[in-house]
Amino acid sequence: MQVEKILVRFPALGSNYLITLQTVNHQDEMVVEVELSDLCTDNYIELEKTRKEIARRLKDEILVTPKVKLVKKGSLPQSEGKAVRVKDIRENQ
């Protein structure tokens, strides 16, 4: 809910996102993939600015610095029924 609260504030983003928890070089890592909305620009500089602002706000909210990836609308898996928002693939859970 904390992540969603931040993401809904950005008009360039769609409503679909996926949080992946994974282990990289023996360190846990959080990756937040967010689909862009139809209103999104193709301006790389603007998208990068948005991506960095999302990462900063998420860090302020959850005290973890996530990797944020902005992805094309429709590229994240859709599930019927309740949406799956977190995928935990960490080692030694």
Side-chain angles (χ1 to χ4, degrees):
M1 288 176 96
Q2 292 171 296
V3 171
E4 189 168 353
K5 181 175 89 171
I6 300 298
L7 298 178
V8 297
R9 297 180 183 165
F10 291 87
L13 303 180
S15 60
N16 200 14
Y17 66 92
L18 177 64
I19 300 167
T20 303
L21 304 173
Q22 59 190 13
T23 304
V24 177
N25 297 324
H26 306 291
Q27 297 276 343
D28 288 345
E29 182 177 90
M30 178 181 185
V31 179
V32 180
E33 295 176 275
V34 189
E35 288 186 357
L36 296 167
S37 74
D38 289 330
L39 305 173
C40 179
T41 177
D42 287 337
N43 181 331
Y44 175 79
I45 294 170
E46 196 64 34
L47 291 174
E48 184 61 12
K49 182 177 164 185
T50 299
R51 187 194 66 74
K52 287 180 178 179
E53 181 64 14
I54 293 166
R56 186 190 66 75
R57 288 190 189 182
L58 287 173
K59 180 183 178 191
D60 289 348
E61 180 71 24
I62 62 175
L63 306 177
V64 173
T65 304
K67 287 188 176 183
V68 176
K69 295 180 180 180
L70 302 178
V71 299
K72 187 175 179 180
K73 184 175 181 172
S75 63
L76 294 177
Q78 296 280 339
S79 58
E80 292 188 25
K82 187 172 180 176
V84 175
R85 300 287 191 200
V86 179
K87 180 170 66 170
D88 191 344
I89 56 172
R90 292 176 289 179
E91 298 170 2
N92 304 317
Q93 296 179 44

